[in-house]
Amino acid sequence: MKVLVIGGGAREHALCRSLSLDPDVTALHCAPGNAGIAEVAELHPVDQLDGDAVARLATELGAELVVVGPEAPLVAGVADAVRAVGVPVFGPSKEAALLEGSKAFAKDVMAGAGVPTARSYVCTTPEEIDEALDAFGAPYVVKDDGLAAGKGVVVTDDVEQARAHALACDRVVIEEYLDGPEVSLFAITDGTTVLPLQPAQDFKRALDGDEGPNTGGMGAYSPLPWADPKLVEEVLATVLQPTVDELRRRGTPFSGLLYAGLAITSRGVRVIEFNARFGDPETQVVLARLKTPLAGVLLNSANGTLADQAPLNWADDAAVTVVVASHNYPDAPRTGDPIEGLAEIAEQDAPHAYVLHAGTKLDGGKVVSAGGRVLSVTATGADLAQARERAYAAVGRIRLDGSQHRTDIARKAAEA
């Protein structure tokens, strides 16, 4: 099978790594990719938001499966353009991707499906914003209705900060605060059958102890030793399957990766948000534990044949990923700094630890930083403690001027 992956972050590197290890994949391409992905796939320049350009590239390459990684191309309808030229594609249609593209649409779908979530108001005027903030009180949860690369949400006790964020958005969802730990659960679906993956937990805040501003994610781990063993089964029955069924009922079937961001509250599981693609950095740890070859599973989703898929096979190992970010992230990050130590990790830490590139590029044969989140250092181990130890040992070899990373990824779970 010839596979083309669209995107250029650590999520796409994780996907490409897994696909490169699949014996059924005979040729692997990525557009636009990054310096790390170049080691496992052939790179092609493309505007990933231009559906016609992506469809042309897929046709030229003779791709038999296209995997769309990021949310922006999905919301822009890239999957539709690829499907229109007869190439199987893993990723939802533009209409179905609105589940991530609009928080208000997602709330409407959840209401129709009877999915448990936070009570909320959709606001477009200053008066509506003030009424909603008053109704819920602190902590205030304010979400930009549209795509914001994981940084459109403010959770604060400061009403003025909440109001300022709300006023800066065209349309905003203000909702009640959900207590309890958060869990990310991915599911692969063809619009009818839903195949859940293993749960993971990510770390959104920039600094140790969940301090600092929200980011796209600073690390993740899987499995979750503290979670109810029946969690996946429960979420499949109460969240994932009802949502897929509701979208199909509406005439907008969802095929691809459905990501449920969940809060395990004192009153039970509640959906915080849905995403229409693999999450970053959770994909890095989930795929590190998946033993079933990936390409066939994604193709079954694309072809509507997921009911024929054998049960997934998972490693008993734990996985931890630590994000190395550039100076000043998540504000305007500094780029163009050389990255050293990658060869040392490949020589001394493989196969248990490896580096997935996020914001990197080649400059005169050298790997340099090219984004806010630069690398995802990922490791596996017999348990979380060993996986953590291996991940941080590898992080210690990386030399990137001004870089930052959290030191507490998976610490509590490993010590529990």
Side-chain angles (χ1 to χ4, degrees):
M1 192 193 314
K2 292 180 183 174
V3 183
L4 168 61
V5 176
I6 302 302
R11 161 187 46 225
E12 288 75 36
H13 193 176
L15 287 163
C16 285
R17 179 182 182 273
S18 289
L19 289 165
S20 74
L21 298 173
D22 186 333
D24 288 337
V25 175
T26 52
L28 182 58
H29 302 270
C30 186
N34 63 37
I37 295 173
E39 295 175 9
V40 294
E42 186 180 339
L43 302 192
H44 304 269
V46 78
D47 176 356
Q48 56 185 352
L49 299 179
D50 184 338
D52 291 338
V54 172
R56 263 196 315 276
L57 177 62
T59 305
E60 287 165 13
L61 295 173
E64 293 154 291
L65 174 67
V66 172
V67 180
V68 183
E71 60 272 25
L74 292 168
V75 172
V78 167
D80 304 87
V82 176
R83 280 193 189 94
V85 296
V87 179
V89 58
F90 180 79
S93 67
K94 180 177 181 175
E95 282 188 306
L98 205 56
L99 197 65
E100 176 168 5
S102 167
K103 307 288 189 301
F105 175 74
K107 288 289 186 183
D108 189 59
V109 170
M110 284 188 266
V115 168
T117 186
R119 292 180 298 120
S120 63
Y121 294 106
V122 180
C123 307
T124 54
T125 68
E127 292 75 24
E128 289 174 348
I129 288 166
D130 287 340
E131 282 177 25
L133 293 173
D134 289 344
F136 289 130
Y140 302 99
V141 182
V142 183
K143 298 181 176 182
D144 190 332
D145 180 54
L147 291 181
K151 290 174 272 190
V153 180
V154 165
V155 181
T156 179
D157 288 321
D158 183 340
V159 70
E160 291 308 322
Q161 186 186 357
R163 182 178 286 115
H165 182 65
L167 290 170
C169 304
D170 288 334
R171 187 158 79 145
V172 70
V173 174
I174 295 174
E175 62 184 38
E176 68 176 327
Y177 175 76
L178 296 174
D179 63 329
E182 293 185 16
V183 172
S184 300
L185 184 61
F186 302 158
I188 292 170
T189 178
D190 58 5
T192 303
T193 301
V194 181
L195 187 66
L197 305 185
Q198 288 290 304
Q201 186 174 57
D202 81 330
F203 295 75
K204 282 285 186 200
R205 300 282 187 170
L207 307 175
D208 284 5
D210 292 326
E211 299 288 336
N214 255 359
T215 71
M218 295 299 290
Y221 69 93
S222 179
L224 312 181
W226 49 267
D228 186 327
K230 292 184 177 175
L231 177 66
V232 174
E233 198 179 304
E234 180 192 344
V235 175
L236 175 62
T238 62
V239 174
L240 299 169
Q241 191 71 56
T243 300
V244 169
D245 291 346
E246 173 68 12
L247 284 163
R248 189 176 66 251
R249 187 186 68 75
R250 290 176 177 224
T252 52
F254 187 105
S255 143
L257 195 290
L258 178 60
Y259 163 151
L262 308 163
I264 313 301
T265 77
S266 52
R267 294 167 294 153
V269 174
R270 297 287 184 273
V271 175
I272 300 168
E273 64 176 356
F274 281 125
N275 292 324
R277 39 72 197 179
F278 279 103
D280 182 343
E282 302 99 319
T283 302
Q284 289 86 302
V285 291
V286 172
L287 292 185
R289 300 184 58 226
L290 180 64
K291 292 171 78 173
T292 302
L294 184 61
V297 187
L298 303 186
L299 188 63
N300 277 333
S301 163
N303 287 339
T305 52
L306 205 55
D308 301 333
Q309 174 67 44
L312 297 179
N313 189 9
W314 295 94
D316 292 329
D317 283 2
V320 171
T321 194
V322 179
V323 170
V324 176
S326 54
H327 177 72
N328 207 38
Y329 177 77
D331 295 325
R334 194 174 78 205
T335 59
D337 289 312
I339 303 165
E340 296 177 339
L342 299 174
E344 292 167 35
I345 295 172
E347 287 167 13
Q348 300 181 42
D349 301 285
H352 301 299
Y354 49 89
V355 179
L356 298 168
H357 292 231
T360 69
K361 67 176 183 180
L362 284 170
D363 184 3
K366 286 191 170 182
V367 179
V368 300
S369 61
R373 292 187 296 172
V374 181
L375 305 168
S376 283
V377 180
T378 305
T380 55
D383 55 24
L384 284 174
Q386 187 178 48
R388 257 190 110 245
E389 190 179 316
R390 287 171 170 171
Y392 278 108
V395 168
R397 301 190 202 282
I398 289 167
R399 296 179 296 282
L400 170 60
D401 187 45
S403 68
Q404 53 174 316
H405 64 271
R406 282 183 57 160
T407 65
D408 62 347
I409 304 300
R411 180 191 288 152
K412 278 186 187 171
E415 292 171 352

